[in-house]
Amino acid sequence: MAAGLIGGAALGAGFGELLRVIVEASKTAAMFRDNLEELASMLSPIEPVIKEIQSFNKAFDKEYETEQLVEIVKRGKKLVTKCCKIRRWDIIKKPYYSHKLLGLKKSLERFCQIVMQTHQARDIKEVLFETKEISVGIRKLSLKEGSSNGNGMCNQAAVMGPCRVPEPRGRVLGFDEPLKELKVKLLKDGVSVIIVSAPGGSGKTTLVKQLCQDEEVKGKYEDNIFYVSVSKTPNMELIFQKLLQAKDYAVPEFQNEEDGLNYLEQKFRQLASVPILLILDDVWPGYEFLVHKLKFELPDYKILVTSRFAFPRFNDCTYCLKPLNDDNAMTLFRHNAFLQNGNPCIPEDIVNKVMKSCKGLPLALEVVGRSLCGQPVAMWLKQAKQHSKGLSILHSNTDLLAYLQSTLDTLDDEAGIKDCYLDLGSFPEDHQTPATALIDMWVEQYQLDEDCDAFIKLHELSIRNLVNLVVMRKDDASEADSFYNDHFVMQHDLLRELAIYQSSFNPIEQRRRIIVELSRNNFPNWWLEEKQQPLGAHLFSISTDETFSYNWGYIQAPEVEVLVLNFRAKNYVLPVFMEKMDKLKVLIAMNNSIYPAEVSNFQLVYSLSNLKRIRLEKVSVPSFSTSSFQLKNLRKISLVMCNISQAFEKGTNKMSDNFPNLLEIDIDYCDDLMELGEGLCDIVQLMKLSITNCHKLRALPEGIGKLVNLEVLRLTSCTDLMALPETIGSLSQLTILDISDCLSIKNLPTRIGELHNLTKLSMRGCSSCNLPSTITKLQYLKDVICDEETAYQWEFLKSYLTNLKVTVHEQDINLNWLQIFV
């Protein structure tokens, strides 16, 4: 902690000293006066915020590294001092030092921008870590959900905390009257709870989000508007965490639910000088008790609830959102169905028929409109004819679901797009599904050649508005290398329900995919039948919550190729019947709890001899080399937010014997990884190694040079990594090296010049990294992605590296990554 205090003090003192030196220099160094005055005007407003960074360091018994910020301040002071010594007759030096001052300005400018935004970050620990990452002023914010993931964080492009209201996606049309009516209810005295009720897809959430953009509403509640997506199976612990972190409060470990409620009420009372508005989005029947539990006796405190269901006990305070009238519905439909400047040439009566079949429901108007956008008249006629006949009601539910079923007719069966859409039901509601999980499924299940082929299918679903593709950090260079760790998928609840419904037409034994949600010991009837027929499903998804007893029973599922296990638990037991899934190619186990889960029978995984891909999220992974087994078909292992400190340690068995054909390892956000075990270096056939966002990783093993078949080495955002070992020069097949945002690397190894096949080097955020003279030996190096400061060094090398293209990476100020951790 002492080191943290020293670092914070040094930063505050150094920053103030830098500002003073700049102001003084602007009076005397006439040659650079304009540059210096710009710096002074930029830094003056940020000085008070620096004091808060010092207080951050005092808040925890952990050293959050402000050294990088201190370093840039020191270098800045040194540079300004040098500029003061330049005389008028040394005019030849002006371009060089002007360029240096420009680099300093950009570094500090980026730092200032992001520091001012950290007030809205949702987890103070992550905010502190973010401050570290931007400390060289040129860092790109890029940390992988929370959101999420977490349950219940809506897609957003704006900077916000875990309970800040996301802005509505796209234009909001047709809600003028509902907005006025709901606003009157909200601002009316004596009303503490308001329920916005309507069928799914009616625009309840959009209406509430838009209401929170109203100036009068924002003026009344200011920064005291909290937003939580509750969904079908809410977790009170997560709700407490989100609400407390929204104001950067520490989250203690609660003894019970009552303890958590008391602590939350205490914190809300501290905020009650300004009225508080709590929004509970998507509350399901049986969970309306949440409203009562969170209904604290505070002045002008209100709870606004959205639900597709009606709650009789709240009839007096319910606002029923009606479907759009024809005029508003047509406006919304045309906005989605026709290009802005296009001439649709579709008969007006056909447009009107299709629009009216949507029943004024915004989601239907949006989805159907986009599905017909750019389609020929014949497709419009077909749609109008189908709906004039009427469709069956989905599970005796709303007409919307029946209509949405017909939108799947536009999907290309031959290209497998419809199958991919139906697979999306395998993941929990309100869940940000990693694109890489879907890619793993689709590549193996549908025998695709490359990961990018699967991503194309995902993109097709996105442009049809059947999914929402969220990019946490835009990086075209990584995308070009088929690296999609920053891509996530979100889907409207009803579209997910439609996928599940479409998969349930046939008898259970004949279904291609089976999707089951289990709680306590509540199994579907077919699961409990004594004379059970073998299941023919190729995809099996099982979701459980913390109440499930893990008395799995026995199921015969010999045809399953993809097994998806979604769970929420501190301790987990794998289903024993998976041992007999001889055709299983892909295992995905995703823990949606806060902390990594212990898996008591992990050894079951080793019996799945046909496995090709394993993906584990928030799981404690045991050593891969203490047991004797052979997964001879395994090609890829992905470990996300797992405890893996022991996974790659050397043991009694060589990892190369256990994984004789493993080609790719992807490690992301594994916070306990400090040193990579030597055992991994035995997997000499490995072709891709990605270790990203592992901020405590300090060193790579010297034995990494044994990975002579490695083609891609990605070490993005390993901020504590001090250096690359010299043995990296032995990686003769390496074509891509990415050390972006490895803030602590000061020098590239001398032997980097031996990487004769290296074609691409990404080092954005590495302005402090020095290039060795041997870099000129990289004759096949074609692409370097870096910051403007580093580009200055590379430009001098172009005379040696004639094929070199240097791309200056633009800073993307974006806190979407915070959603991963909700």
Side-chain angles (χ1 to χ4, degrees):
M1 182 174 179
L5 294 174
I6 294 170
L11 174 62
F15 192 90
E17 179 65 14
L18 173 61
L19 180 58
R20 186 190 66 77
V21 170
I22 289 174
V23 171
E24 290 300 319
S26 66
K27 299 175 183 177
T28 58
M31 191 181 299
F32 304 103
R33 182 166 294 149
D34 291 344
N35 305 73
L36 294 168
E37 285 180 349
E38 284 185 21
L39 277 172
S41 63
M42 180 185 71
L43 296 181
S44 295
I46 203 69
E47 187 176 18
V49 182
I50 298 299
K51 296 178 181 179
E52 294 190 23
I53 295 179
Q54 289 178 256
S55 69
F56 286 165
N57 273 307
K58 296 174 185 177
F60 297 98
D61 291 330
K62 177 178 178 180
E63 180 182 353
Y64 287 93
E65 299 195 14
T66 55
E67 300 94 87
Q68 304 287 346
L69 291 175
V70 172
E71 182 62 26
I72 196 171
V73 167
K74 286 181 179 178
R75 291 206 316 268
K77 181 181 175 183
K78 185 176 180 180
L79 173 61
V80 173
T81 303
K82 285 185 178 180
C83 290
C84 291
K85 297 179 181 179
I86 306 298
R87 299 291 178 252
R88 292 184 178 180
W89 52 83
D90 290 329
I91 189 68
I92 192 172
K93 296 181 180 180
K94 181 176 179 179
Y96 175 79
Y97 282 99
S98 293
H99 179 82
K100 288 287 188 180
L101 285 171
L102 178 63
L104 175 64
K105 178 178 178 290
K106 287 181 177 294
S107 297
L108 290 171
E109 188 176 45
R110 292 167 187 155
F111 163 56
C112 293
Q113 287 175 332
I114 301 173
V115 166
M116 294 302 290
Q117 294 175 1
T118 58
H119 292 290
Q120 298 181 7
R122 71 179 174 224
D123 184 339
I124 193 167
K125 296 180 181 178
E126 293 298 333
V127 170
L128 289 168
F129 204 59
E130 176 198 6
T131 304
K132 169 189 173 181
E133 289 187 316
I134 60 170
S135 59
V136 292
I138 48 171
R139 150 128 192 88
K140 180 177 181 181
L141 290 173
S142 57
L143 304 177
K144 220 174 134 212
E145 291 232 298
S147 46
S148 26
N149 156 334
N151 294 328
M153 192 61 193
C154 290
N155 171 35
Q156 54 201 291
V159 177
M160 57 187 64
C163 288
R164 298 303 179 211
V165 183
E167 292 185 6
R169 184 168 58 91
R171 292 180 61 189
V172 177
L173 301 170
F175 281 148
D176 290 349
E177 284 303 314
L179 280 170
K180 291 178 184 177
E181 294 168 355
L182 185 59
K183 179 179 171 182
V184 170
K185 275 186 169 288
L186 178 65
L187 299 181
K188 183 179 179 181
D189 292 334
V191 178
S192 59
V193 176
I194 301 170
I195 309 292
V196 180
S197 177
S202 297
K204 302 178 296 295
T205 300
T206 300
L207 175 66
V208 169
K209 290 178 182 177
Q210 188 66 15
L211 177 68
C212 292
Q213 304 304 314
D214 182 88
E215 290 301 323
E216 191 174 353
V217 173
K218 290 195 292 186
K220 177 174 181 177
Y221 294 101
E222 300 181 3
D223 198 34
N224 274 359
I225 303 179
F226 300 85
Y227 176 93
V228 178
S229 184
V230 178
S231 302
K232 197 172 184 179
T233 56
N235 181 289
M236 288 299 290
E237 185 180 3
L238 290 176
I239 291 175
F240 294 154
Q241 181 190 37
K242 294 176 188 178
L243 291 171
L244 292 168
Q245 288 179 345
K247 289 293 185 179
D248 294 337
Y249 291 131
V251 184
E253 185 172 348
F254 301 119
Q255 297 299 318
N256 50 50
E257 183 178 295
E258 190 67 26
D259 187 26
L261 282 167
N262 292 335
Y263 187 82
L264 180 63
E265 181 177 3
Q266 175 190 342
K267 294 303 180 183
F268 267 29
R269 287 192 182 281
Q270 296 175 12
L271 302 172
S273 58
V274 174
I276 297 173
L277 174 60
L278 172 60
I279 298 169
L280 301 177
D281 187 35
D282 196 19
V283 177
W284 283 60
Y287 292 99
E288 55 266 37
F289 67 86
L290 288 175
V291 180
H292 290 288
K293 289 189 175 184
L294 294 169
K295 191 177 175 182
F296 308 131
E297 293 297 328
L298 300 173
D300 215 0
Y301 166 54
K302 297 191 178 183
I303 301 177
L304 181 58
V305 178
T306 72
S307 178
R308 67 183 70 178
F309 305 94
F311 299 131
R313 69 180 69 181
F314 293 112
N315 278 345
D316 293 338
C317 53
T318 295
Y319 176 78
C320 295
L321 179 60
K322 299 175 182 178
L324 301 180
N325 61 37
D326 284 353
D327 290 340
N328 287 329
M330 183 60 79
T331 301
L332 180 58
F333 183 73
R334 285 185 173 277
H335 176 72
N336 288 281
F338 302 130
L339 299 176
Q340 187 175 0
N341 300 318
N343 181 14
C345 299
I346 307 297
E348 192 62 29
D349 62 325
I350 299 299
V351 175
N352 197 49
K353 280 184 181 179
V354 176
M355 182 278 292
K356 285 196 172 183
S357 68
C358 295
K359 312 287 185 186
L361 295 171
L363 179 63
L365 291 161
E366 182 176 337
V367 172
V368 175
R370 293 192 182 186
S371 70
L372 291 173
C373 184
Q375 296 294 331
V377 176
M379 183 62 75
W380 283 78
L381 290 170
K382 179 182 176 182
Q383 292 282 337
K385 185 176 180 180
Q386 286 180 343
H387 292 292
S388 66
K389 294 179 179 179
L391 293 174
S392 61
I393 296 176
L394 178 63
H395 290 318
S396 300
N397 211 313
T398 67
D399 291 340
L400 171 61
L401 289 176
Y403 185 88
L404 288 179
Q405 182 177 337
S406 69
T407 63
L408 300 186
D409 293 340
T410 63
L411 298 181
D412 190 345
D413 286 335
E414 293 184 4
I417 301 297
K418 185 172 182 178
D419 275 328
C420 291
Y421 167 75
L422 297 178
D423 290 342
L424 291 169
S426 305
F427 296 92
E429 180 185 45
D430 294 321
H431 183 80
Q432 278 199 341
T433 304
T436 46
L438 295 167
I439 289 170
D440 286 344
M441 290 170 52
W442 295 342
V443 167
E444 300 301 339
Q445 193 175 9
Y446 303 124
Q447 299 178 352
L448 305 179
D449 294 331
E450 304 286 345
D451 285 4
C452 61
D453 295 331
F455 187 77
I456 290 171
K457 295 183 183 296
L458 187 56
H459 180 68
E460 280 289 323
L461 293 172
S462 176
I463 62 177
R464 293 172 186 270
N465 206 41
L466 291 171
V467 300
N468 188 18
L469 191 58
V470 183
V471 182
M472 295 300 181
R473 182 186 69 177
K474 184 63 177 174
D475 188 348
D476 294 333
S478 294
E479 217 171 286
D481 301 329
S482 298
F483 184 72
Y484 304 110
N485 278 24
D486 293 315
H487 293 70
F488 294 82
V489 175
M490 292 197 72
Q491 188 177 36
H492 191 281
D493 298 349
L494 290 177
L495 292 173
R496 176 179 177 271
E497 289 178 18
L498 177 62
I500 296 173
Y501 174 77
Q502 286 282 325
S503 300
S504 61
F505 285 137
N506 295 323
I508 193 69
E509 298 84 2
Q510 299 174 22
R511 293 178 191 174
R512 179 177 177 82
R513 54 186 63 77
I514 296 176
I515 300 169
V516 182
E517 295 182 8
L518 302 176
S519 180
R520 295 184 174 86
N521 285 322
N522 298 323
F523 294 94
N525 292 334
W526 60 264
W527 192 299
L528 303 174
E529 290 178 0
E530 291 185 13
K531 296 182 179 180
Q532 205 178 91
Q533 296 295 318
L535 302 176
H538 289 231
L539 185 153
F540 200 173
S541 170
I542 308 174
S543 297
T544 57
D545 61 16
E546 58 271 20
T547 67
F548 183 64
S549 64
Y550 299 110
N551 182 18
W552 288 104
Y554 187 75
I555 286 179
Q556 299 180 64
E559 303 298 320
V560 170
E561 296 179 352
V562 176
L563 177 61
V564 180
L565 302 173
N566 304 296
F567 59 95
R568 194 166 64 212
K570 295 180 180 178
N571 297 286
Y572 187 72
V573 180
L574 294 169
V576 292
F577 50 77
M578 65 184 277
E579 188 176 11
K580 300 297 182 181
M581 293 181 177
D582 296 332
K583 295 184 180 180
L584 191 64
K585 297 178 181 178
V586 180
L587 173 63
I588 298 174
M590 303 175 69
N591 177 17
N592 296 311
S593 186
I594 299 175
Y595 305 108
E598 298 289 338
V599 180
S600 61
N601 56 345
F602 193 88
Q603 68 277 5
L604 271 180
V605 175
Y606 304 146
S607 64
L608 304 171
S609 60
N610 203 44
L611 263 185
K612 293 188 176 181
R613 299 192 182 211
I614 297 176
R615 179 184 181 88
L616 306 176
E617 288 196 16
K618 289 187 182 176
V619 170
S620 293
V621 182
S623 173
F624 286 129
S625 55
T626 55
S627 302
S628 179
F629 61 90
Q630 189 176 76
L631 294 178
K632 61 182 180 181
N633 291 303
L634 192 65
R635 300 290 188 270
K636 180 181 178 182
I637 295 176
S638 299
L639 305 172
V640 182
M641 290 184 276
C642 291
N643 286 342
I644 62 167
S645 58
Q646 300 178 7
F648 298 104
E649 294 295 331
K650 273 188 173 293
T652 55
N653 297 276
K654 272 192 172 185
M655 288 186 63
S656 56
D657 293 336
N658 292 345
F659 306 122
N661 294 300
L662 185 63
L663 301 178
E664 182 175 355
I665 296 177
D666 186 358
I667 302 171
D668 196 21
Y669 284 105
C670 293
D671 287 340
D672 71 329
L673 182 63
M674 301 181 70
E675 293 185 3
L676 194 62
E678 286 281 354
L680 184 143
C681 301
D682 292 332
I683 312 175
V684 295
Q685 74 279 2
L686 202 65
M687 298 178 69
K688 291 184 180 181
L689 176 59
S690 295
I691 307 174
T692 54
N693 301 297
C694 296
H695 303 291
K696 295 180 183 178
L697 179 66
R698 297 175 181 173
L700 297 178
E702 290 293 327
I704 198 170
K706 295 190 291 184
L707 302 179
V708 292
N709 292 295
L710 201 64
E711 296 178 359
V712 176
L713 178 58
R714 199 180 305 276
L715 303 167
T716 311
S717 294
C718 294
T719 52
D720 277 358
L721 185 62
M722 302 296 293
L724 301 179
E726 286 291 339
T727 53
I728 197 174
S730 300
L731 304 181
S732 57
Q733 299 301 312
L734 198 67
T735 59
I736 298 174
L737 175 61
D738 190 344
I739 59 169
S740 296
D741 299 321
C742 291
L743 307 180
S744 301
I745 295 181
K746 302 299 182 185
N747 298 286
L748 290 180
T750 304
R751 289 188 61 191
I752 195 171
E754 298 177 27
L755 301 178
H756 301 305
N757 284 307
L758 191 67
T759 60
K760 185 174 184 178
L761 173 59
S762 185
M763 53 184 302
R764 62 184 188 278
C766 297
S767 61
S768 300
C769 186
N770 297 311
L771 306 180
S773 59
T774 55
I775 207 83
T776 57
K777 296 181 180 180
L778 301 176
Q779 294 301 310
Y780 288 98
L781 186 61
K782 295 180 181 179
D783 294 302
V784 169
I785 298 96
C786 60
D787 299 311
E788 188 170 352
E789 293 80 0
T790 315
Y792 195 73
Q793 299 182 57
W794 283 103
E795 290 297 329
F796 286 108
L797 298 173
K798 281 191 172 181
S799 57
Y800 301 96
L801 306 173
T802 55
N803 297 318
L804 183 62
K805 174 187 174 184
V806 179
T807 301
V808 176
H809 179 76
E810 293 296 328
Q811 185 81 357
D812 181 16
I813 300 173
N814 184 343
L815 293 186
N816 279 348
W817 53 269
L818 282 171
Q819 300 176 49
I820 301 168
F821 303 102
V822 182

